[in-house]
Amino acid sequence: MARLATKRSKRVRLVCMGGIAASACGGEAGFSGPPEGGGNDLRPGLTVHVGIPPAAGSIASTLGWSGGVPGAEVRIHRFETDFSWTTVVTDENGFANFPTSISGRYRVAAFRPFTASERQVTGSDILALGAGDFREVGVQTQVDLVPGVTSPHGLVISEIYATAPSPAEVQYDFHMFFEVYNNSDRVLFLDGVLFGTMQGIPQWSGTAPCAESEPFRSDPGGVWAHFLHEFPGSGSEHPIGPGEVRLVALDAIDHSTIDARFPDLSGADFELFGPGDVDNPDAANVGEVGLEPYFSGHGLRYFISHTLFLAAPRDVTSFETGILQAFGEEFVRVPAAAILDVISTLEDDALEDQRMEWCDEFVHPSFDQLGGGFIKHQTDLGLSVQRLVVDASGQRILQDTNTSAVDLIKAPYTPGWIP
Amino acid sequence: MSALAGVVWPLPCDGQVSSGATIGGRVIETETGAGLAGVVVSLEGFDLAALTDEEGRYRLTDVPTGRHVLRAQRIGFAVARVPITVPADGALTRDIELSVSALRMDEITVTADAVSRAEGELGTASVIEREAIEHLTATSLAGVLQLVPGVATQAPGLDDLEQVALRSVPTGSSLFATSSDAGVSRTSADLSAFGTLIVLDGVPLSNNANLQSLGPRGGDDGQLLNFVTSANGGVDLRRLPAATIERVEVIRGIPSVRYGDLTHGAIIVETRAAPVAPIAEAKLDERTVETSLVGGRTLGGPGNTATLTFDYARTQVEPGASDDASSRFAGQLAHRLELGHRANDAGLRRPRFSLDTRFDVFRLVDDRPENPNVRPDRSLRSRDLGIRLSERARLWLGEDSRLSFTGSISRVEQESRSRAPKVSGVQPFTSATTEGRNEGFYIGGFYTAEVELDGTPWLGFGRLEWEDRTAWLGADHELIAGIELRREWNDGAGFQFDPQFPPSIGFDGVSGYDRPRTFDEIPAVANSAIYVGDRVRANAGDWPLTVQAGVRLDVLHDGESWLSGSRDAVVQPRVSAELSPSRRLRLRGGWGRTAKTPALGDLYPPPQYFDLVNVNFFANDPVERLAVLTTFIRDPTNPDLGLSTGTKLDVGFEWDLGDGTIALTAFRDRVAGAVGIASVPDFITRDAFALTDSITGNGIKPEIILPAISTDSVPILVDRPDQILDQVNRGLELTAALPRIDPLATQVYVTGSWIETETTSDARFFGSSSAFSSFQRSQTQTRAPYWEGFTERGESMLLLYRLIHHQPDLGLVATLTVQHNAVDRVEDVVAVDTLSFAGYVTRGGELIAVPPERRGDPEFADLRVSRTGRVLARQGARPDWMAHLQVSKSLPLDGQLRVWVFNFADRRGREFEADRIGRLYPPVRFGAEVTFPSARFFDR
C-alpha cells in the first residue's frame, strides 16, 4: 500500500512515495486530486480523500466512481485530545472534510462496505474497503488514503479477549482467549500454524527512541517476534472448515469458578501451553517455539495492545534473527510470505496517557495499515475485540482490509462463535 | 560531653625521644572573660593533655610540629576545637574560649576537619564533633556522615534503609539497572556497606547474623517480600540517632590492628555520656518529628556518674497520601565508675580502675499499613527491637601500662510481616518438604498470601587488650596487644507461611520455591582474633615521624565455639606512617590488609527445592484431576566459604595554608573473595508416566502406571554462595578549608571525591531464567551456552562546597551547602556478542569449555546467541547541583534554634534519557530544631 505524505497547501496534491506503482496514485505519477474546475475546495481543517484501489478498479467503473470512493465512513482521532473517533462520510468524489480539526498527530481511517445490491451488480467478491494511516497534520491538510479490500480468504484472527478487573497489581488475566476463523470457502488445517506477537518491540518512545525500533516495526519483509506458539499436528490432524471457528484459550479451564465475571473456557479447542501451566487433556496444546518461554509459564499473555499474527507453518529455526540494541533483546523475522493475518490493537488506557509518544506505525502497512480495537484493559470486562462481520447472508465473512482500525470492533465477548 | 576526660595519658617524663614545642595559654569563659579551672586541654589524636589551674592556665610540652587541633573540654561547656600550627620547637601561646553555647565561641567546627585525628589511629580519617552534628540537624548517623568526602547530602528522615559505603560508588542502586544474574544477587553498595565496621562505644555492631531476606530465590515477584531490610549489607544506620552522638570518627584509610571484621573502613561512634543537666531537643519538619533528651548526674562522687539518653523520631513517608510511616526509639543508660583516683604530674586525676557500663535499647519500625482505597488487602511491617549490654573495664597497671576488657551481648528481635493479594494461573503444586514423588494439588486464582519472617540475631563479643607506653631505641612506643572473641547466631522463628497460599509463584514446572524454615536450626558462627601493634614516634633526621604498624590474625572457626578448628584464617599486616618535613606540610601513607567474615545467611543458606511435574491432568471434572510432582532438594551450603580480604593503600598530604588547610589523599582499596551467589549446574531426573485412564468425563480419577515409560535428565542450577566477587575502589579525596574571608565572617570548606569502583563477578551465566527454563523443558535440546564473568564499573565525582558564615557575637552560624554531582557513570564491561559464550552445559549438568578460536565453528552454531540481561553502556548522568541552607542561632537561656532548607531551589535533577542514566533529587524540604539545655536551672 502506498504510504503518502502530508500536504500543507490549499492545492490538492497527491505525492507518491518512491517505489509505489503509479496506478496506486490514481494512474499518474505526481499530481492527482479533485478534477479541474470542480470537486471540493479545501476548507479550513483536515480533509481526507479516499482513493480507489487498483483491486477495486472494475467495481469503481461499474458503479460510476471516478474521483474517489463515495459513501465511505472516514474516522479521525487526534492523539492527546480525542479519545473517540469523529466520523464523516465521503462525498461523491471521495472527500470528507473535518472543518474544525486542528494540527496534531492523527489516526485516520476509512471504511466502505459494499451493499448486497452493489455486489450483485459488480459480480465481485470484494466485500468492503478499508484504509488507515497515522499522520502528523497541520491545518488545511489533506490526507489521502488508498484502501485495502476484503474478499474471503484464509485464516484470520476473529476475536481476542484480554481484559481484567482492577486493581491492576493483582489482575487475573489467565482467562484470555483468541479465535481463529476460516474466512475462506475451503477446508484449511491448523497443523503447524504459528501464532505470535510483536510484544517487546516498543510502540512508543518512552523506553527507546522510535528510530531504534523502526527497522523492526517498518519492515516490509516480515513481522518480528520474540514469542511464538505453534499449533500441534503433523499436517492434517486439525482441520477447520469454511466458516468454522476454533477457540484458543490461554488456560482451557472454567475461569468463572475463580470469578463469576470470567468466561468458562473449559471447552476450548486449544490452549496455549507453557512450562508452569495447567493442562486440560481435552484441549490440544499450542506449544511455545519462540526464543524463550513467556514469563509466568502459561504461554503468551497480554494480547491487548500488541500486534498479533498468524503465519503458515515454517521451520522457526530458519528465521532470520536480529537484536534490538536498546534492550539487547533478540527477535526472529517471520517472513512476509508466511504471514496469514495481522491485527494490531491498542488499549484506551495507553492512548489516554498523554506522556506517551507513539511511534508512527506498529507494523509495516502492508500487513496492517492502522491499529485499532480500543479496549480499556481493566474496565471493559466482558468486552472483546472482534472482527467485523460484513456478510452474514450465508457463511459469515469477516472484514479483513488489513486495517485493524476499521476491521475490528469492541463488543461483548463470544468465545467459540461468531455473532 | 565525652566521658574521655581524665583518661588521657601524658608523655613519659623521662627518656625524651622526640623534641617538640611548648603550647600554653588561658582558657576563659566567653561571656565573662574569667579564667576557667578544671578544663582538660588535649592535643587531638595524641595522648597529650593538661588541666587548667585556678586562673585557667594550661601548658603542654613536647608537642610535635605540624598542624594539630587543640581540644578543650569541661562538663557544662561546649567542647572547643582550636586548630594550631606548631613549630618544631619553642613556645606557642594559644588562648581558648569556652561557652555553654558553641555558637558563641570564636572557633566552631561544623564540618569534618581536614586534619582530623581519630584517637589512637594514624589512618586517614574524618572526625565529626558534637557541634557539627548539631548544625547538620541529621536524624541518624547516616546524615552525619555527609561531611565525609564521597558521601552525598540527604534530607533528614527515617523513610528508607540507611547504609554507608566508604570509598565506593554504589553501582546497583537506582542509578543502575542490574541484570538478574545470579552472579551478583546483591548490589555492590551492599558489599561496601557490609564491609564497613560500625563501632558503638568501643563495641562493634554487626549485621552478620541478619537473616531478614531469603537469598536469591526466596523473594517472589517483588510484591510481597520487599521488606525494608539491610540483610547482606551493612548495619541499618537509622538505629543510631544523631541527637545522642557525641563524636564520630570515620577511618577511611588503614585502621589499626584493633579493628577487624571489615574491608572498607571503620566508623567509631561515641555516644553522649556525661553528668550534665538535661538537654532537650525537638525537631520538626513536614515529614519528621523528633525529640531527644540527654542528661546525667554524679552519684555520690565524681567517679560515679550516670547518663540517660533518649530519642524518639517518626517520619511520615507520604504525608497526606498514605499512612506509611517509619519510627525509631533509642535509649541508653550509661554508668561510669572510677576507683583509686590519683593526680599525675599534669594535674589530671586518673583512676586506677574504671568501668563503663552501657545498656542500649532501640526499636525501629517501618509500617506500611493497608490503604483500602488504593491497595486493598496489602500491608507491610518490619520491626527491629534491639538491646545491648556492654562493659568496658580498664585497669592501670602502672603509669604507662593498662589492661582493658571490653565485652558485650546484644540481641535484636527482627519481625517482618507482609500481606498481599496474589494472583496465580492455575498450576500443579506441592508442599512436600522431603525428597520424593507425591501427589500434588492445583492452586490458582486470587488469594491473600501472608508471610512472617522472624529473626533474632545475637552477638557476643569480648576483647582483652594490653597497652603499654615505653621509650626504646630512641623512640616513643605505644604498644598494644589483644585477643578478641566473637560469636553470632540467629534463633528466630524464621520464615513461615501457609504453603497452600505461597508467596512465590514464579513456577516453571522445575524450579520450586523456598519452603518455611526456622532459624534456630542454623549453627552459630565463631570468630577469634589476636593482634599486636606499635605506634612509634621518632625523628627521621629533623622531621618528626610517626609510624603505626601491627599485625592481626582473624580466624573463622569451623564450628560454633572458639575451640573448634579453623575454617579460615587471614594474617593482616598493617602500617601507617606520617612524616612532617615542615610545620606546614605533613605526608602520610599506609598499607594494610583486612578481613571480613561472611554473613550467617551465606554460610548456612536455605535448602533449594525443585518440584518437577510428572503428571498434569486438569480434567474439567475436579474428581478426575491428577497432579504428580517429584521434589528434589539440593543443599547449596559451601563448606569452603571463608573470609574475604581487603587490601588498602593510601597516600596523601596535608598542607597548612596559614589560615586554611588542604588535604588530598589518593587511595586504592581492593576486596577479594567477597561472597556472591554462583549458579552451579546439576541435574535431576524426570519420569514420564502413563495413566490408567486418560478419558475424561467418566468420573474416574486416573493413576500413574509404574514403572515410568521414560526418564530424562533435567538440568538445574543450584544457587550457591561463593567467593566470586572482587571489588577495586580507587580515587582521590579532597578536604580543604580555604582562608577565612574576614570582612564577610565566612569561610569556605570543600570536600570532594573522585571514585571509580569496579566489581567483578566470576560467576557463570546460563542465559535468562526463561531461556534456561526452555532448555530444561526441552525434549530435544542437548546443551545450552554459558558465559563467564562480568564487571560492573561505576565512577563518581562529588564535590561539596560549604560556605560557613559565623558571627560569634550573635551566636549565629549559617551554612550554604552546594552539592555538585560532576560525574555519575555506570556501565557493564562484558562481551555480549554471539561469540562471547565460554562453553556449554549438558543436560547432565556437565560444563564443557569451548576455546575462543573454535567458537565460530559450525558445530557450535546453536550456542552462538547473544548474552542478554546486561545493561548496554550509556553515557553518565549529566552534571548537576543542588543547594541547602542551614542556620543555627543561639537563644536566650543557652538554647539554640536551627532551621534548614534542603534543596531550596527545588532542583529536580536529570531524568533518564535513552542514552543517559538519570539522577533525580529529592524535593525541597525544610524544618526546624530547638535545643534547651537546663543547666542554668541546676547547679553546674
Side-chain angles (χ1 to χ4, degrees):
Chain A
M1 306 299 167
R3 186 159 180 263
L4 308 172
T6 60
K7 289 161 281 298
R8 300 182 190 281
S9 69
K10 289 188 177 181
R11 284 192 56 80
V12 175
R13 297 177 60 204
L14 180 66
V15 177
C16 289
M17 302 290 285
I20 305 300
S23 59
C25 301
E28 297 177 284
F31 285 79
S32 172
E36 293 288 341
N40 274 5
D41 292 326
L42 277 184
R43 295 176 187 163
L46 173 64
T47 298
V48 179
H49 178 253
V50 182
I52 300 170
S58 62
I59 297 176
S61 65
T62 303
L63 296 176
W65 299 351
S66 57
V69 177
E73 187 181 280
V74 176
R75 310 170 186 166
I76 65 170
H77 158 265
R78 183 177 183 277
F79 274 105
E80 299 156 4
T81 53
D82 300 338
F83 305 118
S84 59
W85 297 102
T86 300
T87 303
V88 170
V89 177
T90 57
D91 62 14
E92 64 275 12
N93 291 309
F95 287 92
N97 297 314
F98 298 86
T100 59
S101 300
I102 59 177
S103 59
R105 300 185 84 206
Y106 279 86
R107 295 156 47 83
V108 182
F111 171 59
R112 173 58 160 91
F114 290 107
T115 64
S117 59
E118 286 175 329
R119 283 188 278 124
Q120 190 173 29
V121 166
T122 63
S124 168
D125 63 354
I126 293 177
L127 299 169
L129 305 177
D133 207 347
F134 191 162
R135 294 292 185 86
E136 186 78 39
V137 301
V139 182
Q140 300 178 1
T141 299
Q142 177 168 313
V143 173
D144 293 276
L145 299 177
V146 178
V149 302
T150 290
S151 54
H153 82 280
L155 295 175
V156 294
I157 298 171
S158 55
E159 183 175 1
I160 57 174
Y161 173 73
T163 62
S166 55
E169 66 179 18
V170 291
Q171 66 187 37
Y172 180 89
D173 47 23
F174 296 91
H175 56 304
M176 297 180 179
F177 70 83
F178 71 95
E179 293 174 345
V180 179
Y181 182 78
N182 185 349
N183 213 24
S184 76
D185 57 2
R186 63 191 188 285
V187 175
L188 301 173
F189 295 91
L190 288 173
D191 299 50
V193 168
L194 300 174
F195 168 67
T197 175
M198 293 181 71
Q199 195 178 130
I201 298 172
Q203 298 165 315
W204 63 296
S205 64
T207 50
C210 288
E212 288 195 32
S213 59
E214 187 183 9
F216 297 88
R217 289 182 290 100
S218 305
D219 181 8
V223 177
W224 292 84
H226 189 82
F227 302 106
L228 286 168
H229 278 270
E230 183 180 63
F231 280 83
S234 55
S236 57
E237 295 174 35
H238 298 284
I240 175 171
E244 290 185 355
V245 64
R246 297 290 181 264
L247 177 62
V248 184
L250 178 64
D251 285 350
I253 66 171
D254 183 3
H255 297 274
S256 65
T257 60
I258 294 170
D259 189 311
R261 297 170 295 176
F262 297 160
D264 177 1
L265 301 179
S266 59
D269 302 291
F270 297 91
E271 63 179 348
L272 303 184
F273 191 67
D277 210 344
V278 62
D279 189 5
N280 184 340
D282 293 333
N285 291 342
V286 184
E288 295 185 280
V289 295
L291 289 169
E292 61 180 335
Y294 200 85
F295 70 89
S296 84
H298 282 248
L300 177 65
R301 289 159 64 188
Y302 306 121
F303 301 162
I304 294 295
S305 195
H306 290 287
T307 299
L308 305 173
F309 62 88
L310 293 175
R314 290 287 191 279
D315 177 8
V316 298
T317 61
S318 67
F319 290 164
E320 177 187 344
T321 61
I323 294 179
L324 180 57
Q325 292 296 336
F327 308 125
E329 287 291 340
E330 194 171 24
F331 295 85
V332 296
R333 186 205 216 193
V334 182
I339 296 297
L340 299 174
D341 188 31
V342 176
I343 63 170
S344 298
T345 60
L346 293 169
E347 292 182 72
D348 261 342
D349 313 81
L351 286 172
E352 291 174 10
D353 187 339
Q354 297 184 14
R355 297 169 299 174
M356 286 188 159
E357 184 183 336
W358 292 96
C359 302
D360 280 348
E361 55 193 21
F362 303 152
V363 69
H364 192 270
S366 62
F367 304 114
D368 193 340
Q369 295 190 67
L370 184 68
F374 298 164
I375 279 284
K376 283 187 181 292
H377 187 51
Q378 288 158 25
T379 57
D380 282 344
L381 195 62
L383 299 181
S384 68
V385 174
Q386 303 172 21
R387 200 174 279 279
L388 196 65
V389 177
V390 291
D391 186 356
S393 57
Q395 170 187 323
R396 299 271 193 284
I397 303 298
L398 304 185
Q399 169 99 342
D400 184 15
T401 65
N402 282 357
T403 311
S404 292
V406 299
D407 291 344
L408 306 177
I409 59 170
K410 185 167 69 175
Y413 65 64
T414 58
W417 58 284
I418 307 295
Chain B
M1 268 50 75
S2 168
L4 296 173
V7 297
V8 295
W9 294 7
L11 284 172
C13 297
D14 52 28
Q16 167 125 358
V17 295
S18 55
S19 62
T22 298
I23 305 174
R26 285 185 75 214
V27 179
I28 59 175
E29 186 172 1
T30 303
E31 286 80 2
T32 63
L36 284 171
V39 177
V40 176
V41 180
S42 59
L43 194 71
E44 200 168 77
F46 292 82
D47 291 328
L48 194 63
L51 195 68
T52 57
D53 60 16
E54 297 76 16
E55 296 183 13
R57 287 185 299 230
Y58 74 94
R59 182 167 171 269
L60 293 172
T61 59
D62 300 321
V63 179
T65 189
R67 182 78 171 176
H68 297 293
V69 173
L70 271 183
R71 182 186 172 89
Q73 57 189 80
R74 178 181 144 170
I75 292 174
F77 290 87
V79 174
R81 297 180 73 248
V82 179
I84 55 170
T85 302
V86 180
D89 51 27
L92 177 70
T93 300
R94 193 67 165 89
D95 291 340
I96 302 170
E97 284 190 13
L98 281 190
S99 173
V100 173
S101 171
L103 298 176
R104 293 192 173 276
M105 298 194 298
D106 280 345
E107 297 285 348
I108 184 172
T109 302
V110 293
T111 61
D113 200 301
V115 292
S116 305
R117 292 285 180 273
E119 284 204 16
E121 301 288 320
L122 209 59
T124 309
S126 301
V127 176
I128 304 166
E129 292 276 5
R130 182 66 215 154
E131 291 76 35
I133 297 171
E134 283 186 347
H135 189 57
L136 276 173
T137 64
T139 304
S140 306
L141 173 62
V144 174
L145 297 174
Q146 61 185 285
L147 296 177
V148 175
V151 180
T153 57
Q154 60 174 177
L158 296 174
D159 51 321
D160 203 358
L161 172 70
E162 291 182 354
Q163 300 185 113
V164 66
L166 293 179
R167 288 184 168 176
S168 179
V169 176
T171 59
S173 69
S174 60
L175 278 175
F176 189 70
T178 55
S179 77
S180 58
D181 282 8
V184 179
S185 62
R186 57 207 56 169
T187 67
S188 68
D190 290 329
L191 194 163
S192 306
F194 186 61
T196 299
L197 174 71
I198 312 288
V199 177
L200 179 66
D201 299 325
V203 180
L205 301 179
S206 175
N207 203 39
N208 295 342
N210 184 348
L211 295 178
Q212 296 302 99
S213 78
L214 298 162
R217 263 204 327 160
D220 61 342
D221 53 2
Q223 294 199 7
L224 192 62
L225 292 173
N226 53 344
F227 304 119
V228 178
T229 175
S230 66
N232 296 318
V235 173
D236 187 346
L237 301 180
R238 293 180 298 167
R239 62 178 280 185
L240 299 169
T244 60
I245 297 175
E246 177 66 31
R247 176 182 165 97
V248 180
E249 300 173 347
V250 181
I251 305 171
R252 313 188 313 268
I254 291 82
S256 72
V257 290
R258 174 183 288 136
Y259 298 115
D261 197 31
L262 64 97
T263 51
H264 286 65
I267 299 174
I268 316 301
V269 180
E270 291 283 341
T271 55
R272 303 167 77 177
V276 295
I279 302 171
E281 289 184 0
K283 178 190 295 178
L284 177 69
D285 67 47
E286 56 187 322
R287 298 187 316 142
T288 302
V289 292
E290 183 176 1
T291 181
S292 65
L293 186 69
V294 175
R297 61 177 299 163
T298 56
L299 305 171
N304 192 351
T305 59
T307 307
L308 178 68
T309 62
F310 159 86
D311 179 272
Y312 175 77
R314 185 174 190 275
T315 295
Q316 193 79 19
V317 177
E318 297 171 307
S322 73
D323 293 329
D324 294 357
S326 298
S327 64
R328 174 201 60 214
F329 165 79
Q332 184 189 81
L333 179 62
H335 178 259
R336 180 169 177 83
L337 177 67
E338 294 177 351
L339 300 174
H341 283 95
R342 59 199 177 95
N344 63 10
D345 294 342
L348 291 166
R349 284 179 57 81
R350 196 183 68 197
R352 287 196 183 279
F353 174 80
S354 70
L355 180 67
D356 284 284
T357 304
R358 299 199 190 226
F359 179 71
D360 294 275
V361 61
F362 80 91
R363 183 173 183 269
L364 191 59
V365 178
D366 292 292
D367 197 9
R368 309 288 183 260
E370 179 190 12
N371 186 337
N373 298 321
V374 178
R375 303 180 90 180
D377 208 24
R378 180 174 174 76
S379 63
L380 199 67
R381 188 169 191 274
S382 294
R383 188 216 71 188
D384 283 4
L385 176 63
I387 57 173
R388 186 176 86 160
L389 178 65
S390 66
E391 295 281 356
R392 275 193 290 185
R394 296 187 182 95
L395 176 66
W396 276 257
L397 303 176
E399 282 291 330
D400 303 317
S401 185
R402 182 171 76 179
L403 190 66
S404 305
F405 171 77
T406 305
S408 79
I409 183 78
S410 71
R411 175 182 187 270
V412 181
E413 261 183 25
Q414 299 181 302
E415 281 184 6
S416 299
R417 298 281 184 274
S418 182
R419 175 188 168 89
K422 307 294 287 185
V423 64
S424 163
V426 175
Q427 61 192 26
F429 207 71
T430 180
S431 57
T433 55
T434 57
E435 287 198 319
R437 188 176 60 244
N438 295 282
E439 183 170 333
F441 51 94
Y442 287 94
I443 63 168
F446 293 106
Y447 63 94
T448 299
E450 295 190 50
V451 166
E452 295 181 3
L453 184 57
D454 293 339
T456 308
W458 289 79
L459 168 63
F461 175 84
R463 178 170 63 216
L464 186 66
E465 182 177 278
W466 169 75
E467 298 168 86
D468 189 39
R469 301 166 59 87
T470 186
W472 187 52
L473 296 180
D476 296 324
H477 294 262
E478 297 171 23
L479 301 165
I480 61 169
I483 182 169
E484 192 177 283
L485 301 176
R486 194 170 78 242
R487 189 171 188 269
E488 297 174 89
W489 67 98
N490 192 320
D491 61 2
F495 176 47
Q496 303 295 331
F497 63 91
D498 184 347
Q500 294 281 344
F501 307 103
S504 299
I505 53 174
F507 185 60
D508 64 356
V510 177
S511 295
Y513 63 99
D514 281 2
R515 309 300 207 257
R517 180 196 193 203
T518 58
F519 291 161
D520 55 7
E521 63 197 24
I522 300 173
V525 175
N527 290 83
S528 62
I530 57 173
Y531 57 90
V532 61
D534 189 10
R535 181 174 173 145
V536 183
R537 286 176 53 211
N539 284 337
D542 292 332
W543 299 348
L545 171 68
T546 306
V547 176
Q548 184 172 54
V551 64
R552 181 184 172 100
L553 171 69
D554 271 286
V555 178
L556 171 64
H557 292 275
D558 248 338
E560 298 185 73
S561 83
W562 305 295
L563 300 178
S564 58
S566 165
R567 178 176 176 141
D568 193 11
V570 175
V571 175
Q572 305 153 59
R574 301 178 192 174
V575 59
S576 296
E578 194 176 275
L579 181 69
S580 301
S582 77
R583 69 187 184 111
R584 293 195 181 279
L585 179 65
R586 177 178 291 137
L587 307 175
R588 61 192 331 180
W591 176 90
R593 293 197 78 200
T594 58
K596 178 81 185 81
T597 195
L600 188 66
D602 287 332
L603 288 168
Y604 302 103
Q608 194 167 347
Y609 293 80
F610 296 88
D611 301 309
L612 211 49
V613 177
N614 305 111
V615 176
N616 182 359
F617 192 86
F618 191 86
N620 288 330
D621 183 350
V623 170
E624 301 176 12
R625 291 172 188 163
L626 177 66
V628 177
L629 298 93
T630 305
T631 298
F632 299 84
I633 304 174
R634 290 291 184 269
D635 180 6
T637 302
N638 183 352
D640 298 326
L641 207 65
L643 300 165
S644 59
T645 58
T647 306
K648 294 174 69 65
L649 170 69
D650 75 7
V651 294
F653 69 86
E654 292 158 13
W655 180 24
D656 179 9
L657 302 173
D659 195 17
T661 55
I662 293 178
L664 185 67
T665 305
F667 65 89
R668 185 183 187 277
D669 295 347
R670 181 177 177 226
V671 178
V675 180
I677 303 298
S679 296
V680 180
D682 196 351
F683 75 96
I684 53 180
T685 53
R686 173 171 51 199
D687 294 328
F689 298 97
L691 298 180
T692 55
D693 178 9
S694 46
I695 298 173
T696 60
N698 58 7
I700 298 174
K701 177 177 179 177
E703 296 178 1
I704 61 172
I705 299 174
L706 296 175
I709 55 177
S710 67
T711 299
D712 69 331
S713 296
V714 177
I716 58 171
L717 296 175
V718 179
D719 298 326
R720 191 176 76 164
D722 204 352
Q723 293 177 268
I724 54 170
L725 300 180
D726 267 28
Q727 186 180 81
V728 175
N729 299 288
R730 50 177 166 255
L732 297 170
E733 291 169 334
L734 168 73
T735 307
L738 304 182
R740 180 184 165 90
I741 307 170
D742 285 327
L744 299 178
T746 298
Q747 189 162 18
V748 177
Y749 290 83
V750 180
T751 55
S753 70
W754 169 76
I755 305 174
E756 188 177 74
T757 296
E758 281 193 3
T759 306
T760 300
S761 168
D762 288 339
R764 293 190 180 93
F765 174 62
F766 294 88
S768 65
S769 56
S770 52
F772 194 80
S773 174
S774 178
F775 173 48
Q776 291 176 310
R777 294 183 310 108
S778 172
Q779 304 284 349
T780 57
Q781 187 177 354
T782 60
R783 61 188 184 182
Y786 71 87
W787 294 261
E788 280 184 333
F790 68 92
T791 298
E792 289 181 0
R793 182 182 292 156
E795 182 184 356
S796 170
M797 182 183 292
L798 177 69
L799 294 149
L800 278 110
Y801 313 97
R802 290 185 170 91
L803 280 70
I804 301 172
H805 174 74
H806 181 207
Q807 293 197 24
D809 293 339
L810 298 178
L812 173 76
V813 174
T815 302
L816 172 67
T817 303
V818 177
Q819 174 174 309
H820 178 198
N821 295 91
V823 174
D824 279 299
R825 191 193 315 276
V826 289
E827 62 179 345
D828 281 331
V829 182
V830 63
V832 299
D833 59 87
T834 57
L835 295 178
S836 62
F837 69 97
Y840 60 91
V841 58
T842 66
R843 297 197 69 82
E846 191 182 2
L847 290 173
I848 310 293
V850 176
E853 63 273 15
R854 296 205 54 207
R855 292 172 191 169
D857 292 355
E859 68 180 283
F860 300 122
D862 59 308
L863 304 176
R864 285 194 288 272
V865 297
S866 303
R867 178 173 182 165
T868 59
R870 283 286 113 195
V871 173
L872 300 176
R874 291 191 173 90
Q875 297 183 53
R878 299 179 192 275
D880 208 345
W881 63 273
M882 65 171 169
H884 327 297
L885 187 64
Q886 294 133 279
V887 177
S888 296
K889 175 73 177 71
S890 62
L891 296 176
L893 305 179
D894 302 323
Q896 282 193 21
L897 170 68
R898 289 174 284 279
V899 294
W900 55 270
V901 183
F902 180 88
N903 190 13
F904 63 73
D906 200 16
R907 292 185 62 78
R908 171 142 180 83
R910 301 289 183 173
E911 295 278 0
F912 167 80
E913 300 169 51
D915 62 343
R916 280 187 181 275
I917 58 176
R919 182 204 306 110
L920 295 179
Y921 290 136
V924 60
R925 299 228 169 95
F926 54 90
E929 182 179 81
V930 290
T931 303
F932 295 104
S934 61
R936 210 173 259 274
F937 305 100
F938 295 89
D939 291 334
R940 195 176 283 181

